[in-house]
Amino acid sequence: AQTVTQSQPEMSVQEAETVTLSCTYDTSESNYYLFWYKQPPSRQMILVIRQEAYKQQNATENRFSVNFQKAAKSFSLKISDSQLGDTAMYFCAFSRAGGYQKVTFGTGTKLQVIP
Amino acid sequence: GAGVSQSPSNKVTEKGKDVELRCDPISGHTALYWYRQRLGQGLEFLIYFQGNSAPDKSGLPSDRFSAERTGESVSTLTIQRTQQEDSAVYLCASSLVQGQGWQPQHFGDGTRLSIL
């Protein structure tokens, strides 16, 4: 079974600053995907970024980037130039590659961007 | 086209009553997932549909929970004899078939279920 751990229940950052959200995971799978999802108050889950485990290069999406450390089973999210619209719950998640996506989620980090 | 639609948006019911939650996936999406999100928690996988069959029901918490899908489209999640611990947001997601490489899951806005 897979586990995903987010040890920061809440974080805050000043607008325009950079913040890093932490995530660790455990799995015996050799190939898998890691994700960061954003959940605003509307409840809809929005995919922020995806990392394929067999790729060494860290994924980036505009202001969002990850630091993927496969040996350490660590997957952190860096948000640069934080904006008020980034205020949300952020969930780290895992799914095995191949077949259907049974996604395992962490417990989330509540991020508040302060003007 | 429209995204994943869930109804009702909110449901309040008395303990012991049965409830039905509905999910309309994106047209053409053959994969459909149900998740439960308890207050302050991440999402828990409940069930996966490929077409109208459910090859993975491993997340359903008890035999009070059931789900079906018809016409490779609408799915309903039914909770019988509701208990207070069933209070949660129930989220549905759909995607294209996974066998053609990774496909993103598209989520609905969920149904907030409150059991009095």
Side-chain angles (χ1 to χ4, degrees), chain B residues 41-91:
Chain B
Q41 300 296 313
L43 279 67
E44 304 169 78
F45 168 86
L46 297 179
I47 188 169
Y48 158 67
F49 284 93
Q50 180 56 47
N52 293 336
S53 62
D56 189 344
K57 306 178 183 180
S58 62
L60 294 178
S62 74
D63 59 7
R64 296 187 296 105
F65 287 71
S66 63
E68 66 174 16
R69 188 179 185 194
T70 56
E72 295 198 352
S73 180
V74 173
S75 176
T76 55
L77 176 69
T78 302
I79 309 173
Q80 296 178 311
R81 305 180 302 283
T82 51
Q83 303 293 313
Q84 287 188 331
E85 65 261 26
D86 299 334
S87 295
V89 175
Y90 290 83
L91 287 142

Side-chain angles (χ1 to χ4, degrees), chain A residues 33 35 37 39 41-47 50 89 91 95 98-108, chain B residues 9-10 33 35 37 40-43 45 48 56 58 89 91 98 102-105 107-112:
Chain A
Y33 298 110
F35 311 91
Y37 279 89
Q39 187 180 42
S42 67
R43 300 198 301 244
Q44 189 176 56
M45 299 291 283
I46 301 165
L47 180 63
R50 175 176 67 101
M89 286 289 292
F91 293 94
S95 87
Y100 63 98
Q101 268 191 74
K102 184 175 180 177
V103 183
T104 301
F105 288 84
T107 53
Chain B
S9 180
N10 293 281
Y33 305 79
Y35 295 88
Q37 186 177 23
Q41 300 296 313
L43 279 67
F45 168 86
Y48 158 67
D56 189 344
S58 62
V89 175
L91 287 142
Q98 298 294 317
W102 181 82
Q103 300 290 341
Q105 290 189 25
F107 285 83
D109 290 343
T111 294
R112 182 179 299 281

Side-chain angles (χ1 to χ4, degrees), chain B residues 91-106:
Chain B
L91 287 142
C92 175
S94 71
S95 75
L96 293 169
V97 64
Q98 298 294 317
Q100 297 165 2
W102 181 82
Q103 300 290 341
Q105 290 189 25
H106 299 262

Side-chain angles (χ1 to χ4, degrees), chain A residues 13-26:
Chain A
V13 61
Q14 293 286 337
E15 195 175 4
E17 296 296 308
T18 295
V19 64
T20 298
L21 309 183
S22 301
C23 172
T24 58
Y25 62 95
D26 194 20

